[in-house]
Amino acid sequence: MFNKVLVAEDLDSISITVGQALEELSVSEIHHAKYCDDALLKVKKALLDEAPYDLLISDLSFKTDHRETQLKSGDELIAAVKKLQPNIKTIVFSIEDKSFRIKSLFNDLEINAYVSKGRNSIPELKKAIQSVFNNDAKILSSELAHALRDKSLIEIETYDILLLKSLSQGLILEEIALEFKTSGIIPNGSSSIEKRINKLKIFFKANNNVHLIAIAKDLGLV
């Protein structure tokens, strides 16, 4: 079983419960962090001490408070940790159930498992921890297993997400084109972007841009 595990969770009750589950699995060293910045610092220190973490378990949403933080979400934390320690095992433990977001965590951040918080979440989490330790393939809690089988979003690319985010921020076509050119995103011509927006409207059966953004938000794309 894993020797050293870091739990990034801002709610004490959940953090304690996850810690108990890890103890039941005979994990010898369990650390906790309520802020993503603190979690990243712990990872950095562990690497400096030549005693790295074997596993990171993180929520996705962290409530903001009086403290200023650089990392605002579990996604950002995992991305930052992976830059420092690419081979660390990662499990997301969250209430999020949007299929695209879950897929992107596996595809873009290469997480090892995703467990949804719910009635049977702790037994599911324990199973996921054991499976990740055994180097099993992608692990998804049973109630969300449909998410990775959902073919409806398979054609959506990172470019489309950036485009939808720009639209949701109220940017007009020319502004999006300029932003994409500045950022080196291709294609960035107004006509190409307009064609892509029209393609997305057809794909999602959206009547207009406002409707398209609403659908994208419902799906967790933006």
Side-chain angles (χ1 to χ4, degrees):
M1 180 45 62
F2 294 113
N3 292 316
K4 190 173 181 179
V5 177
L6 176 59
V7 180
E9 169 63 61
D10 58 352
L11 295 180
D12 287 339
S13 57
I14 296 176
S15 187
I16 291 168
T17 303
V18 173
Q20 290 171 343
L22 289 166
E23 288 174 2
E24 290 170 8
L25 290 170
S26 301
V27 174
S28 55
E29 196 171 345
I30 305 162
H31 295 183
H32 300 265
K34 291 184 181 180
Y35 295 89
C36 293
D37 287 8
D38 291 349
L40 184 61
L41 285 173
K42 286 179 181 290
V43 170
K44 288 179 178 178
K45 186 177 186 305
L47 288 169
L48 284 172
D49 294 341
E50 297 185 355
Y53 288 100
D54 304 309
L55 172 68
L56 168 65
I57 300 175
S58 180
D59 194 357
L60 293 179
S61 301
F62 290 77
K63 289 185 178 179
T64 56
D65 58 16
H66 61 281
R67 176 173 165 178
E68 285 291 325
T69 57
Q70 294 295 317
L71 302 174
K72 309 293 184 185
S73 68
D75 312 54
E76 293 179 9
L77 170 62
I78 293 168
V81 169
K82 289 271 190 174
K83 286 182 180 178
L84 296 172
Q85 191 180 340
N87 296 324
I88 189 172
K89 301 292 187 181
T90 50
I91 295 176
V92 170
F93 187 44
S94 172
I95 199 168
E96 175 67 67
D97 63 355
K98 303 295 185 187
S99 60
F100 178 83
R101 193 171 186 198
I102 295 169
K103 283 183 179 180
S104 69
L105 288 166
F106 280 105
N107 296 333
D108 300 336
L109 295 181
E110 297 183 341
I111 67 169
N112 299 96
Y114 188 102
V115 179
S116 176
K117 291 178 180 176
R119 288 187 178 89
N120 298 309
S121 57
I122 295 304
E124 291 269 12
L125 179 62
K126 289 171 72 175
K127 275 198 291 185
I129 293 167
Q130 186 66 62
S131 295
V132 171
F133 178 73
N134 293 335
N135 290 315
D136 291 344
K138 296 175 181 177
I139 309 300
L140 191 67
S141 55
S142 56
E143 63 187 81
L144 286 175
H146 67 280
L148 291 186
R149 293 197 299 266
D150 182 4
K151 305 296 184 184
S152 64
L153 297 174
I154 202 162
E155 296 178 29
I156 301 301
E157 302 172 5
T158 302
Y159 179 89
D160 299 311
I161 305 305
L162 294 172
L163 184 51
L164 289 166
K165 283 181 178 176
S166 296
L167 285 173
S168 70
Q169 292 165 0
L171 299 181
I172 61 173
L173 194 60
E174 291 75 15
E175 291 171 329
I176 296 173
L178 179 59
E179 185 179 87
F180 279 20
K181 282 176 186 174
T182 304
S183 302
I185 299 169
I186 299 172
N188 51 40
S190 295
S191 122
S192 297
I193 291 172
E194 187 173 21
K195 286 177 183 175
R196 195 66 166 233
I197 292 171
N198 288 332
K199 179 183 173 183
L200 287 169
K201 283 193 283 194
I202 292 169
F203 184 79
F204 288 113
K205 298 180 174 63
N207 299 323
N208 49 49
N209 286 359
V210 174
H211 189 201
L212 175 62
I213 293 166
I215 293 170
K217 284 183 177 179
D218 286 342
L219 290 171
L221 300 178
V222 296

